[in-house]
Amino acid sequence: MADEIAVVGGIDTHTDLHQAAVIDGIGRHLATEQFETTPRGYQRLLDWFRSHGEVLAVGIEGTGAYGAEIARFLTAHEIAVVEVDRPDRKARRDNGKSDPIDAYAAATAVLSGRAGGTPKTRNGIVEAIRALRVVRKSAVKARTQTMNQIRTLIVTAPSAVRDKLRGLTALELVDTLARSRPAGELDDPACAVRIALRRLARRHQTLSEEIKDADKEIGPLVTRAAPRLVALTGVGPETAGQLLMSAGDNPDRLRSEASFAHLCGAAPVPASSGRTHRHRLNRGGDRAANNALHTIVLVRMKYDQRTRDYVTRRTAQGMSKKDIIRCLKRFVAREIYRHLPHMTTTAQPVPQTA
């Protein structure tokens, strides 16, 4: 009977159609089929899985992108969802590439134990913070680009325009250009440059207002989500928001503070050879989270007496600045982990070194 068989599912996610596959407990391929990425399609997919037997787990490739909604749907219906990485190049060369092959590979990775990651739930306040930060980040990037364009135009502008703008700070420059009223013919380079600079300055002001509005929305959400995290030295709403995003709405999926450090690219990597025994910076992991840790470390190195004393002591021992920052990142990651919200595990005491 079908209901006596334990099966494992796999899903290769796409924009309009998800390719699903199901295997039995010893890895035999049972069936594969495509389903629409709609609520009705998700329900048909779940019914199809269950028609083959008891669903032990479903491996999904792309839970942070095209597979986010199907992962939420299956989790809401009490199906264990496992995050599956994309097959490496060797596996693709050996097995080929197609949607059914990828779906079977996802199911096989779960059954064999190669895949065991718990995806982010993406259904709480952290997901709201992520959505708002996406807009803020793009606005900051656009504002920086706008200021670069303003300065580039000034460098190549005629002297009549350039000389009046010398020595102004960025804010004074934007305010002066936004209030200007260019006059003349458009075929005059000086007039055209003035018009372009005014438009860029007004764009800069609009983006600044957009960023301020985003900060007013994001700040209270971050504080509400993790008040203990924001209270830490050197941690502000921006860095805290990024670290919350990296951990997700269910940070208990991270089994230990070491796994969180590895996620942030702050776990030390051995770099020993012969008589040399050392570790180096980890260049893997979530680079945005690593950047947040780096920012916190730099703030503490400048304003936190405890961290300054640590830097002085380690420098006297012959350690380079790069290695000191690596160690501080690891200490900060351990401390951050203890202050993430909704922890279900008991964290170990944090050394008061950094």
Side-chain angles (χ1 to χ4, degrees), residues 301 306-316 324 328:
M301 288 174 68
R306 182 182 60 173
T307 304
R308 291 204 300 266
D309 293 342
Y310 174 82
V311 172
T312 301
R313 185 173 74 253
R314 299 296 269 177
T315 301
I324 292 173
L328 287 172

Side-chain angles (χ1 to χ4, degrees), residues 20-194:
V22 61
I23 62 176
D24 63 14
I26 59 175
R28 290 180 299 189
H29 294 186
L30 300 180
T32 180
E33 191 171 334
Q34 286 186 331
F35 298 90
E36 295 180 351
T37 57
T38 62
R40 183 178 178 183
Y42 297 148
Q43 186 61 54
R44 288 182 55 242
L45 185 151
L46 177 59
D47 295 340
W48 181 79
F49 273 144
R50 286 175 171 169
S51 69
H52 291 87
E54 179 187 357
V55 183
L56 298 179
V58 175
I60 301 179
E61 180 182 333
T63 58
Y66 298 124
E69 183 59 24
I70 185 61
R72 281 191 288 260
F73 179 85
L74 293 177
T75 301
H77 286 78
E78 300 181 347
I79 300 295
V81 175
V82 178
E83 187 170 4
V84 177
D85 293 333
R86 188 177 68 173
D88 58 29
R89 292 181 178 179
K90 183 178 183 303
R92 286 182 181 262
R93 286 196 301 266
D94 294 342
N95 302 322
K97 170 71 175 76
S98 72
D99 293 346
I101 289 175
D102 288 346
Y104 278 125
T108 303
V110 174
L111 182 63
S112 65
R114 293 197 309 273
T118 302
K120 298 176 183 178
T121 56
R122 298 181 180 274
N123 59 358
I125 189 172
V126 175
E127 180 65 10
I129 293 171
R130 186 193 70 82
L132 294 173
R133 289 189 77 251
V134 167
V135 180
R136 184 190 185 280
K137 184 177 180 180
S138 64
V140 170
K141 184 177 181 180
R143 185 178 66 175
T144 301
Q145 184 183 43
T146 300
M147 177 54 69
N148 292 339
Q149 291 172 337
I150 289 174
R151 295 194 181 281
T152 300
L153 276 177
I154 291 175
V155 168
T156 59
S159 296
V161 177
R162 187 174 66 251
D163 293 344
K164 294 181 180 179
L165 303 175
R166 291 181 184 274
L168 297 180
T169 65
L171 292 179
E172 292 172 343
L173 182 62
V174 169
D175 183 63
T176 299
L177 293 175
R179 290 187 292 105
S180 65
R181 295 191 177 186
E185 299 295 330
L186 284 177
D187 58 0
D188 178 12
C191 176
V193 167
R194 289 190 184 98

Side-chain angles (χ1 to χ4, degrees), residues 328-350:
L328 287 172
K329 281 184 180 180
R330 185 65 181 84
F331 292 139
V332 171
R334 183 179 296 127
E335 187 177 22
I336 293 295
Y337 177 81
R338 294 179 64 241
H339 291 82
L340 291 174
H342 311 306
M343 274 296 152
T344 59
T345 57
T346 302
Q348 298 298 320
V350 176

Side-chain angles (χ1 to χ4, degrees), residues 259-272:
S259 65
F260 177 70
H262 185 76
L263 171 68
C264 297
V269 177
S272 302

Side-chain angles (χ1 to χ4, degrees), residues 151-344:
R151 295 194 181 281
T152 300
L153 276 177
I154 291 175
V155 168
T156 59
S159 296
V161 177
R162 187 174 66 251
D163 293 344
K164 294 181 180 179
L165 303 175
R166 291 181 184 274
L168 297 180
T169 65
L171 292 179
E172 292 172 343
L173 182 62
V174 169
D175 183 63
T176 299
L177 293 175
R179 290 187 292 105
S180 65
R181 295 191 177 186
E185 299 295 330
L186 284 177
D187 58 0
D188 178 12
C191 176
V193 167
R194 289 190 184 98
I195 293 174
L197 287 173
R198 182 182 64 172
R199 289 176 179 172
L200 287 172
R202 291 182 176 180
R203 180 189 299 175
H204 189 283
Q205 290 180 332
T206 300
L207 290 169
S208 295
E209 289 299 319
E210 185 177 326
I211 294 169
K212 289 180 182 179
D213 291 341
D215 288 337
K216 291 178 183 178
E217 297 165 345
I218 295 171
L221 284 179
V222 172
T223 302
R224 194 171 83 188
R228 296 172 57 207
L229 181 60
V230 178
L232 293 176
T233 303
V235 180
E238 181 62 19
T239 52
Q242 178 56 58
L243 293 169
L244 286 173
M245 281 175 51
S246 298
D249 281 298
N250 51 330
D252 48 291
R253 69 194 181 91
L254 303 169
R255 297 180 178 86
S256 66
E257 54 89 12
S259 65
F260 177 70
H262 185 76
L263 171 68
C264 297
V269 177
S272 302
S273 177
R275 297 180 180 180
T276 302
H277 299 281
R278 59 180 292 270
H279 291 78
R280 68 165 175 81
L281 291 168
N282 186 347
R283 295 176 179 83
D286 186 331
R287 303 318 298 167
N290 188 277
N291 183 68
L293 292 181
H294 189 81
T295 301
I296 295 170
V297 166
L298 293 182
V299 172
R300 290 188 176 188
M301 288 174 68
K302 187 173 183 179
Y303 298 105
D304 182 48
Q305 186 60 46
R306 182 182 60 173
T307 304
R308 291 204 300 266
D309 293 342
Y310 174 82
V311 172
T312 301
R313 185 173 74 253
R314 299 296 269 177
T315 301
Q317 294 172 355
M319 184 175 287
S320 67
K321 183 177 180 181
K322 182 181 292 187
D323 285 337
I324 292 173
I325 291 176
R326 173 186 61 77
C327 293
L328 287 172
K329 281 184 180 180
R330 185 65 181 84
F331 292 139
V332 171
R334 183 179 296 127
E335 187 177 22
I336 293 295
Y337 177 81
R338 294 179 64 241
H339 291 82
L340 291 174
H342 311 306
M343 274 296 152
T344 59

